[in-house]
Amino acid sequence: MVDIHLLEASLEKKKPEKDSLAWLIKCNYDDIFTRHSVKREDFMHTFDFYERHPERMDALMNRVIDELNKMDAEIRGGGSTVQDKTKKP
């Protein structure tokens, strides 16, 4: 999920033309699935499970945010981190 979020952030920043967006997403998702030895169908099945269990999705997303924060801190040398919108104060 970390790689998925990085991909989507990259595409959002680049703002590709709509006609090429679907192709870019499919190709890049396929690359991510291959890199992690995951079949698209398995990913979608698992994602559907998490969508039906929002409390588990929140826990998963918190772990993703934690990992993104670690990556950001490494790049910035301990600087600011990604804001966590799912954790409650």
Side-chain angles (χ1 to χ4, degrees):
M1 287 299 295
V2 170
D3 287 339
I4 297 288
H5 281 283
L6 291 171
L7 167 64
E8 290 179 356
S10 172
L11 291 175
E12 185 176 309
K13 185 175 181 177
K14 291 179 183 177
K15 299 182 191 266
E17 296 295 322
K18 288 191 184 235
D19 59 340
S20 62
L21 182 60
W23 180 82
L24 286 169
I25 289 173
K26 182 189 181 315
C27 290
N28 284 286
Y29 269 44
D30 288 345
D31 288 344
I32 291 169
F33 297 149
T34 299
R35 190 173 337 126
H36 292 282
S37 301
V38 173
K39 293 179 185 173
R40 176 180 287 276
E41 301 79 28
D42 293 339
F43 175 83
M44 296 308 298
H45 179 76
T46 301
F47 193 82
D48 289 344
F49 169 83
Y50 281 106
E51 282 189 319
R52 289 189 311 272
H53 299 89
E55 70 287 347
R56 291 187 180 198
M57 177 69 90
D58 285 347
L60 172 64
M61 295 312 297
N62 284 333
R63 290 194 310 267
V64 169
I65 289 167
D66 288 344
E67 186 61 31
L68 291 169
N69 283 334
K70 287 178 193 174
M71 294 169 74
D72 186 56
E74 287 176 11
I75 291 168
R76 296 177 186 264
S80 65
T81 59
V82 175
Q83 183 110 34
D84 185 346
K85 306 259 188 228
T86 62
K87 289 185 181 176
K88 298 186 176 39

